[in-house]
PDB file of all heavy atoms in Angstrom:
ATOM      1  N   PRO A  22      61.916   2.719 120.436  1.00 97.00           N
ATOM      2  CA  PRO A  22      63.192   3.244 120.058  1.00 97.00           C
ATOM      3  C   PRO A  22      63.686   4.373 120.994  1.00 97.00           C
ATOM      4  O   PRO A  22      64.914   4.581 121.082  1.00 97.00           O
ATOM      5  CB  PRO A  22      62.950   3.800 118.649  1.00 97.00           C
ATOM      6  CG  PRO A  22      61.483   3.915 118.490  1.00 97.00           C
ATOM      7  CD  PRO A  22      60.877   2.918 119.419  1.00 97.00           C
ATOM      8  N   GLN A  23      62.815   5.028 121.707  1.00 97.00           N
ATOM      9  CA  GLN A  23      63.265   6.055 122.664  1.00 97.00           C
ATOM     10  C   GLN A  23      64.194   5.467 123.722  1.00 97.00           C
ATOM     11  O   GLN A  23      65.075   6.124 124.266  1.00 97.00           O
ATOM     12  CB  GLN A  23      62.116   6.741 123.408  1.00 97.00           C
ATOM     13  CG  GLN A  23      61.050   7.401 122.516  1.00 97.00           C
ATOM     14  CD  GLN A  23      60.004   6.427 122.027  1.00 97.00           C
ATOM     15  OE1 GLN A  23      60.178   5.198 122.145  1.00 97.00           O
ATOM     16  NE2 GLN A  23      58.899   6.954 121.457  1.00 97.00           N
ATOM     17  N   ARG A  24      63.965   4.190 124.054  1.00 97.00           N
ATOM     18  CA  ARG A  24      64.789   3.490 125.042  1.00 97.00           C
ATOM     19  C   ARG A  24      65.647   2.454 124.332  1.00 97.00           C
ATOM     20  O   ARG A  24      66.022   1.451 124.976  1.00 97.00           O
ATOM     21  CB  ARG A  24      63.933   2.829 126.109  1.00 97.00           C
ATOM     22  CG  ARG A  24      63.317   3.856 127.040  1.00 97.00           C
ATOM     23  CD  ARG A  24      63.050   3.270 128.390  1.00 97.00           C
ATOM     24  NE  ARG A  24      62.672   4.337 129.344  1.00 97.00           N
ATOM     25  CZ  ARG A  24      63.498   5.001 130.155  1.00 97.00           C
ATOM     26  NH1 ARG A  24      64.781   4.655 130.176  1.00 97.00           N
ATOM     27  NH2 ARG A  24      63.066   5.917 130.919  1.00 97.00           N
ATOM     28  N   LEU A  25      65.944   2.694 123.085  1.00 98.00           N
ATOM     29  CA  LEU A  25      66.750   1.747 122.310  1.00 98.00           C
ATOM     30  C   LEU A  25      66.198   0.307 122.406  1.00 98.00           C
ATOM     31  O   LEU A  25      66.959  -0.655 122.414  1.00 98.00           O
ATOM     32  CB  LEU A  25      68.211   1.795 122.732  1.00 98.00           C
ATOM     33  CG  LEU A  25      68.908   3.194 122.675  1.00 98.00           C
ATOM     34  CD1 LEU A  25      70.388   3.084 122.971  1.00 98.00           C
ATOM     35  CD2 LEU A  25      68.685   3.891 121.362  1.00 98.00           C
ATOM     36  N   ALA A  27      64.862  -1.366 124.668  1.00 98.00           N
ATOM     37  CA  ALA A  27      65.177  -2.161 125.873  1.00 98.00           C
ATOM     38  C   ALA A  27      63.961  -3.011 126.231  1.00 98.00           C
ATOM     39  O   ALA A  27      62.832  -2.615 126.076  1.00 98.00           O
ATOM     40  CB  ALA A  27      65.549  -1.227 127.026  1.00 98.00           C
ATOM     41  N   LYS A  60      69.133   3.101 115.607  1.00 98.00           N
ATOM     42  CA  LYS A  60      70.268   2.870 116.440  1.00 98.00           C
ATOM     43  C   LYS A  60      70.383   1.452 117.018  1.00 98.00           C
ATOM     44  O   LYS A  60      71.505   0.967 117.290  1.00 98.00           O
ATOM     45  CB  LYS A  60      70.268   3.845 117.612  1.00 98.00           C
ATOM     46  CG  LYS A  60      70.897   5.201 117.324  1.00 98.00           C
ATOM     47  CD  LYS A  60      70.791   6.134 118.452  1.00 98.00           C
ATOM     48  CE  LYS A  60      71.826   5.914 119.544  1.00 98.00           C
ATOM     49  NZ  LYS A  60      71.823   7.045 120.513  1.00 98.00           N
ATOM     50  N   ALA A  64      68.834  -2.817 123.193  1.00 98.00           N
ATOM     51  CA  ALA A  64      69.997  -2.438 124.040  1.00 98.00           C
ATOM     52  C   ALA A  64      69.984  -3.038 125.420  1.00 98.00           C
ATOM     53  O   ALA A  64      70.573  -2.517 126.352  1.00 98.00           O
ATOM     54  CB  ALA A  64      70.076  -0.901 124.156  1.00 98.00           C
ATOM     55  N   GLY A  65      69.279  -4.186 125.542  1.00 97.00           N
ATOM     56  CA  GLY A  65      69.339  -4.937 126.810  1.00 97.00           C
ATOM     57  C   GLY A  65      68.010  -4.951 127.530  1.00 97.00           C
ATOM     58  O   GLY A  65      67.005  -4.458 127.032  1.00 97.00           O
ATOM     59  N   ALA A  66      68.067  -5.556 128.689  1.00 97.00           N
ATOM     60  CA  ALA A  66      66.863  -5.535 129.592  1.00 97.00           C
ATOM     61  C   ALA A  66      66.738  -4.057 130.047  1.00 97.00           C
ATOM     62  O   ALA A  66      67.747  -3.318 130.123  1.00 97.00           O
ATOM     63  CB  ALA A  66      67.045  -6.448 130.745  1.00 97.00           C
ATOM     64  N   ASP A  67      65.521  -3.685 130.400  1.00 97.00           N
ATOM     65  CA  ASP A  67      65.291  -2.313 130.827  1.00 97.00           C
ATOM     66  C   ASP A  67      65.864  -2.108 132.225  1.00 97.00           C
ATOM     67  O   ASP A  67      65.323  -2.585 133.223  1.00 97.00           O
ATOM     68  CB  ASP A  67      63.770  -2.014 130.804  1.00 97.00           C
ATOM     69  CG  ASP A  67      63.493  -0.512 131.071  1.00 97.00           C
ATOM     70  OD1 ASP A  67      64.283   0.102 131.792  1.00 97.00           O
ATOM     71  OD2 ASP A  67      62.522  -0.035 130.499  1.00 97.00           O
ATOM     72  N   ILE A  68      66.999  -1.416 132.303  1.00 97.00           N
ATOM     73  CA  ILE A  68      67.739  -1.274 133.583  1.00 97.00           C
ATOM     74  C   ILE A  68      66.896  -0.514 134.619  1.00 97.00           C
ATOM     75  O   ILE A  68      66.872  -0.881 135.806  1.00 97.00           O
ATOM     76  CB  ILE A  68      69.048  -0.515 133.315  1.00 97.00           C
ATOM     77  CG1 ILE A  68      69.939  -1.309 132.347  1.00 97.00           C
ATOM     78  CG2 ILE A  68      69.805  -0.279 134.639  1.00 97.00           C
ATOM     79  CD1 ILE A  68      71.136  -0.569 131.773  1.00 97.00           C
ATOM     80  N   THR A  69      66.075   0.423 134.155  1.00 96.00           N
ATOM     81  CA  THR A  69      65.277   1.212 135.136  1.00 96.00           C
ATOM     82  C   THR A  69      64.259   0.324 135.787  1.00 96.00           C
ATOM     83  O   THR A  69      63.851   0.603 136.909  1.00 96.00           O
ATOM     84  CB  THR A  69      64.538   2.385 134.423  1.00 96.00           C
ATOM     85  OG1 THR A  69      63.676   1.833 133.380  1.00 96.00           O
ATOM     86  CG2 THR A  69      65.478   3.385 133.814  1.00 96.00           C
ATOM     87  N   PHE A  71      64.603  -3.001 136.603  1.00 95.00           N
ATOM     88  CA  PHE A  71      65.064  -3.951 137.606  1.00 95.00           C
ATOM     89  C   PHE A  71      66.037  -3.457 138.589  1.00 95.00           C
ATOM     90  O   PHE A  71      66.562  -4.179 139.440  1.00 95.00           O
ATOM     91  CB  PHE A  71      65.598  -5.225 136.858  1.00 95.00           C
ATOM     92  CG  PHE A  71      66.896  -5.045 136.087  1.00 95.00           C
ATOM     93  CD1 PHE A  71      68.097  -4.808 136.754  1.00 95.00           C
ATOM     94  CD2 PHE A  71      66.902  -5.060 134.700  1.00 95.00           C
ATOM     95  CE1 PHE A  71      69.291  -4.645 136.029  1.00 95.00           C
ATOM     96  CE2 PHE A  71      68.052  -4.907 133.977  1.00 95.00           C
ATOM     97  CZ  PHE A  71      69.273  -4.706 134.635  1.00 95.00           C
ATOM     98  N   PHE A 107      72.582  -1.617 118.139  1.00 98.00           N
ATOM     99  CA  PHE A 107      73.074  -2.215 119.421  1.00 98.00           C
ATOM    100  C   PHE A 107      72.296  -3.504 119.748  1.00 98.00           C
ATOM    101  O   PHE A 107      71.056  -3.531 119.740  1.00 98.00           O
ATOM    102  CB  PHE A 107      72.837  -1.236 120.586  1.00 98.00           C
ATOM    103  CG  PHE A 107      73.742  -0.031 120.543  1.00 98.00           C
ATOM    104  CD1 PHE A 107      73.202   1.249 120.318  1.00 98.00           C
ATOM    105  CD2 PHE A 107      75.120  -0.154 120.727  1.00 98.00           C
ATOM    106  CE1 PHE A 107      74.035   2.377 120.280  1.00 98.00           C
ATOM    107  CE2 PHE A 107      75.930   0.983 120.716  1.00 98.00           C
ATOM    108  CZ  PHE A 107      75.406   2.207 120.474  1.00 98.00           C
ATOM    109  N   LEU A 109      72.868  -5.491 122.926  1.00 98.00           N
ATOM    110  CA  LEU A 109      73.669  -5.572 124.166  1.00 98.00           C
ATOM    111  C   LEU A 109      72.886  -6.298 125.257  1.00 98.00           C
ATOM    112  O   LEU A 109      71.626  -6.227 125.281  1.00 98.00           O
ATOM    113  CB  LEU A 109      73.955  -4.119 124.643  1.00 98.00           C
ATOM    114  CG  LEU A 109      74.717  -3.220 123.650  1.00 98.00           C
ATOM    115  CD1 LEU A 109      74.867  -1.834 124.206  1.00 98.00           C
ATOM    116  CD2 LEU A 109      76.065  -3.818 123.331  1.00 98.00           C
ATOM    117  N   GLY A 110      73.603  -6.949 126.142  1.00 98.00           N
ATOM    118  CA  GLY A 110      72.936  -7.616 127.246  1.00 98.00           C
ATOM    119  C   GLY A 110      71.832  -8.548 126.735  1.00 98.00           C
ATOM    120  O   GLY A 110      72.024  -9.397 125.897  1.00 98.00           O
ATOM    121  N   GLY A 111      70.642  -8.307 127.275  1.00 98.00           N
ATOM    122  CA  GLY A 111      69.485  -9.085 126.893  1.00 98.00           C
ATOM    123  C   GLY A 111      69.204  -9.007 125.384  1.00 98.00           C
ATOM    124  O   GLY A 111      68.570  -9.906 124.815  1.00 98.00           O
ATOM    125  N   PRO A 133      77.405  -6.340 128.494  1.00 98.00           N
ATOM    126  CA  PRO A 133      77.985  -5.391 129.427  1.00 98.00           C
ATOM    127  C   PRO A 133      77.492  -5.512 130.846  1.00 98.00           C
ATOM    128  O   PRO A 133      77.692  -4.569 131.672  1.00 98.00           O
ATOM    129  CB  PRO A 133      77.589  -4.043 128.820  1.00 98.00           C
ATOM    130  CG  PRO A 133      76.274  -4.314 128.149  1.00 98.00           C
ATOM    131  CD  PRO A 133      76.285  -5.751 127.735  1.00 98.00           C
ATOM    132  N   GLU A 134      76.859  -6.657 131.216  1.00 98.00           N
ATOM    133  CA  GLU A 134      76.204  -6.750 132.567  1.00 98.00           C
ATOM    134  C   GLU A 134      77.168  -6.501 133.699  1.00 98.00           C
ATOM    135  O   GLU A 134      76.741  -5.950 134.740  1.00 98.00           O
ATOM    136  CB  GLU A 134      75.544  -8.112 132.673  1.00 98.00           C
ATOM    137  CG  GLU A 134      74.282  -8.275 131.879  1.00 98.00           C
ATOM    138  CD  GLU A 134      74.499  -8.808 130.474  1.00 98.00           C
ATOM    139  OE1 GLU A 134      75.650  -8.781 130.006  1.00 98.00           O
ATOM    140  OE2 GLU A 134      73.515  -9.204 129.842  1.00 98.00           O
ATOM    141  N   ASN A 136      79.238  -4.383 134.123  1.00 98.00           N
ATOM    142  CA  ASN A 136      79.274  -2.928 134.440  1.00 98.00           C
ATOM    143  C   ASN A 136      78.213  -2.578 135.470  1.00 98.00           C
ATOM    144  O   ASN A 136      78.297  -1.536 136.120  1.00 98.00           O
ATOM    145  CB  ASN A 136      78.985  -2.091 133.179  1.00 98.00           C
ATOM    146  CG  ASN A 136      80.131  -2.090 132.206  1.00 98.00           C
ATOM    147  OD1 ASN A 136      81.299  -2.206 132.587  1.00 98.00           O
ATOM    148  ND2 ASN A 136      79.841  -1.958 130.919  1.00 98.00           N
ATOM    149  N   LEU A 137      77.181  -3.425 135.513  1.00 98.00           N
ATOM    150  CA  LEU A 137      76.036  -3.106 136.405  1.00 98.00           C
ATOM    151  C   LEU A 137      76.034  -3.980 137.649  1.00 98.00           C
ATOM    152  O   LEU A 137      75.076  -3.935 138.411  1.00 98.00           O
ATOM    153  CB  LEU A 137      74.702  -3.363 135.620  1.00 98.00           C
ATOM    154  CG  LEU A 137      74.535  -2.631 134.350  1.00 98.00           C
ATOM    155  CD1 LEU A 137      73.327  -3.212 133.548  1.00 98.00           C
ATOM    156  CD2 LEU A 137      74.280  -1.133 134.585  1.00 98.00           C
ATOM    157  N   ILE A 139      75.953  -7.223 137.587  1.00 98.00           N
ATOM    158  CA  ILE A 139      75.150  -8.474 137.339  1.00 98.00           C
ATOM    159  C   ILE A 139      75.833  -9.269 136.216  1.00 98.00           C
ATOM    160  O   ILE A 139      76.873  -8.867 135.696  1.00 98.00           O
ATOM    161  CB  ILE A 139      73.666  -8.198 136.955  1.00 98.00           C
ATOM    162  CG1 ILE A 139      73.593  -7.239 135.762  1.00 98.00           C
ATOM    163  CG2 ILE A 139      72.899  -7.639 138.167  1.00 98.00           C
ATOM    164  CD1 ILE A 139      72.179  -7.061 135.225  1.00 98.00           C
ATOM    165  N   MET A 167      82.355  -4.070 123.665  1.00 98.00           N
ATOM    166  CA  MET A 167      81.400  -4.154 122.532  1.00 98.00           C
ATOM    167  C   MET A 167      82.199  -4.515 121.328  1.00 98.00           C
ATOM    168  O   MET A 167      83.303  -3.964 121.109  1.00 98.00           O
ATOM    169  CB  MET A 167      80.802  -2.781 122.264  1.00 98.00           C
ATOM    170  CG  MET A 167      79.495  -2.533 122.931  1.00 98.00           C
ATOM    171  SD  MET A 167      78.807  -1.028 122.252  1.00 98.00           S
ATOM    172  CE  MET A 167      78.556  -0.073 123.719  1.00 98.00           C
TER     173      MET A 167
HETATM  174  N1  COA B 301      67.557   0.064 129.812  1.00 87.21           N
HETATM  175  C1  COA B 301      66.866   1.178 129.985  1.00 87.21           C
HETATM  176  N2  COA B 301      67.060   2.309 129.231  1.00 87.21           N
HETATM  177  C2  COA B 301      67.991   2.219 128.281  1.00 87.21           C
HETATM  178  C3  COA B 301      68.774   1.077 128.068  1.00 87.21           C
HETATM  179  C4  COA B 301      68.516  -0.051 128.875  1.00 87.21           C
HETATM  180  N3  COA B 301      69.143  -1.220 128.710  1.00 87.21           N
HETATM  181  N4  COA B 301      69.617   1.354 127.060  1.00 87.21           N
HETATM  182  C5  COA B 301      69.421   2.607 126.659  1.00 87.21           C
HETATM  183  N5  COA B 301      68.427   3.152 127.424  1.00 87.21           N
HETATM  184  C6  COA B 301      67.866   4.524 127.328  1.00 87.21           C
HETATM  185  C7  COA B 301      68.871   5.543 127.847  1.00 87.21           C
HETATM  186  O1  COA B 301      68.783   5.642 129.269  1.00 87.21           O
HETATM  187  C8  COA B 301      68.401   6.795 127.134  1.00 87.21           C
HETATM  188  O2  COA B 301      67.208   7.234 127.802  1.00 87.21           O
HETATM  189  P1  COA B 301      66.977   8.855 128.071  1.00 87.21           P
HETATM  190  O3  COA B 301      66.885   9.425 126.687  1.00 87.21           O
HETATM  191  O4  COA B 301      65.742   8.873 128.870  1.00 87.21           O
HETATM  192  O5  COA B 301      68.208   9.304 128.795  1.00 87.21           O
HETATM  193  C9  COA B 301      67.945   6.288 125.797  1.00 87.21           C
HETATM  194  O6  COA B 301      67.724   4.894 125.970  1.00 87.21           O
HETATM  195  C10 COA B 301      68.969   6.504 124.727  1.00 87.21           C
HETATM  196  O7  COA B 301      70.192   5.926 125.153  1.00 87.21           O
HETATM  197  P2  COA B 301      71.560   6.772 125.309  1.00 87.21           P
HETATM  198  O8  COA B 301      72.376   6.117 126.367  1.00 87.21           O
HETATM  199  O9  COA B 301      71.276   8.231 125.419  1.00 87.21           O
HETATM  200  O10 COA B 301      72.238   6.471 123.883  1.00 87.21           O
HETATM  201  P3  COA B 301      73.794   6.461 123.519  1.00 87.21           P
HETATM  202  O11 COA B 301      73.846   6.363 122.012  1.00 87.21           O
HETATM  203  O12 COA B 301      74.476   7.580 124.166  1.00 87.21           O
HETATM  204  O13 COA B 301      74.335   5.078 124.138  1.00 87.21           O
HETATM  205  C11 COA B 301      74.252   2.725 124.645  1.00 87.21           C
HETATM  206  C12 COA B 301      73.869   3.892 123.667  1.00 87.21           C
HETATM  207  C13 COA B 301      73.604   1.465 124.115  1.00 87.21           C
HETATM  208  C14 COA B 301      75.769   2.570 124.619  1.00 87.21           C
HETATM  209  C15 COA B 301      73.789   3.068 126.073  1.00 87.21           C
HETATM  210  O14 COA B 301      72.440   3.413 126.007  1.00 87.21           O
HETATM  211  C16 COA B 301      73.944   1.940 127.022  1.00 87.21           C
HETATM  212  O15 COA B 301      75.048   1.641 127.526  1.00 87.21           O
HETATM  213  N6  COA B 301      72.818   1.252 127.373  1.00 87.21           N
HETATM  214  C17 COA B 301      72.781   0.185 128.363  1.00 87.21           C
HETATM  215  C18 COA B 301      73.342  -1.077 127.725  1.00 87.21           C
HETATM  216  C19 COA B 301      73.343  -2.183 128.764  1.00 87.21           C
HETATM  217  O16 COA B 301      74.005  -2.118 129.744  1.00 87.21           O
HETATM  218  N7  COA B 301      72.570  -3.252 128.494  1.00 87.21           N
HETATM  219  C20 COA B 301      72.479  -4.389 129.355  1.00 87.21           C
HETATM  220  C21 COA B 301      71.416  -4.243 130.307  1.00 87.21           C
HETATM  221  S1  COA B 301      71.299  -5.690 131.322  1.00 87.21           S
END
Side-chain angles (χ1 to χ4, degrees):
Q23 302 84 347
R24 288 208 171 264
L25 304 187
K60 274 176 81 171
D67 189 328
I68 299 167
T69 58
F71 67 72
F107 290 113
L109 302 176
E134 286 88 347
N136 288 330
L137 304 167
I139 56 172
M167 268 191 235

